[in-house]
Amino acid sequence: MRFSRVFLNRVQARPTDADTVVVIDVLRSFTTAAVALARGASAIYPVENVSSAAGLAGQMENALSVGAVGGGDPVPGFDFGNSPAQLAGLDLSGRNLVMSTAAGVRGLQRFHHARRLYACALVCARTTAAAIRADKPDEVCFVITGEWVDRDGDEDIACADYLEALLLGEQPAAEHYAQRVRDSDFGRRFSTGTWPNLPAADLDLCAQVDLFDFAMPVQRENGRLVIR
């Protein structure tokens, strides 16, 4: 099994030769998605364009809209921001979520052609690694979405490092990767108390390693990407 890495904000051309692609967004898209599924959501529809996401949510029965713009502020008019802590206490049984975010969702759309596509965060990393290993791919590409001009993206790099170690059969120390999430450029913003839409409760959830025992494969149904 070979490994490669792509930084989403450095990609210029359409990616090619993808086998298994893992799009990583620890802070916070795919932690939010994992919490939603754990709280009973039926499906999550990642839609890059905000207006398209709002339109889809309006068309679907029993749907909720979830999302944020670049930097983490909630999308105006959406039901929820991109906040796992907001969803953690809700009963989402039977609800469909339409999600639009500037990093994780954009990454899924960019790599939608992969033979196997996963959304991943630290909260479901071990089960994701197990799903990948069972499929026996030739190459696994980790897509780092959190690196921006003002952010090192180390929360996502840490998750990729952890996944790669697990896929190599190692037993990495989970607390090391959790601390890297907290110490990343973006992670530190959640702990300062000066960013009202970046609460410490979100960071606490995002830094929990292997909190959930499911992976988040991404499939295409009726022309749309969906996470179940």
Side-chain angles (χ1 to χ4, degrees), residues 121-198:
L122 209 55
V123 292
C124 56
R126 184 175 290 272
T127 312
T128 303
I132 293 169
R133 190 184 302 111
D135 195 46
K136 299 180 180 179
D138 293 328
E139 181 174 358
V140 179
C141 177
F142 302 113
V143 180
I144 309 301
T145 68
E147 184 202 51
W148 297 74
V149 172
D150 60 341
R151 288 157 46 182
D152 58 12
D154 197 52
E155 70 277 9
D156 293 344
I157 299 170
C159 187
D161 290 346
Y162 183 57
L163 283 165
E164 187 169 325
L166 291 170
L167 287 167
L168 289 171
E170 301 172 6
Q171 293 300 320
E175 60 273 13
H176 168 70
Y177 302 93
Q179 191 60 48
R180 283 176 60 184
V181 171
R182 294 183 177 277
D183 291 342
S184 66
D185 287 343
F186 200 33
R188 289 196 298 270
R189 295 184 190 178
F190 288 81
S191 57
T192 63
T194 58
W195 301 76
N197 291 314
L198 304 180

Side-chain angles (χ1 to χ4, degrees), residues 13-38:
R14 181 182 183 275
T16 58
D17 300 325
D19 181 3
T20 294
V21 174
V22 185
V23 180
I24 300 171
D25 190 337
V26 174
L27 291 170
R28 296 166 283 179
S29 296
F30 299 145
T31 304
T32 299
V35 168
L37 292 173

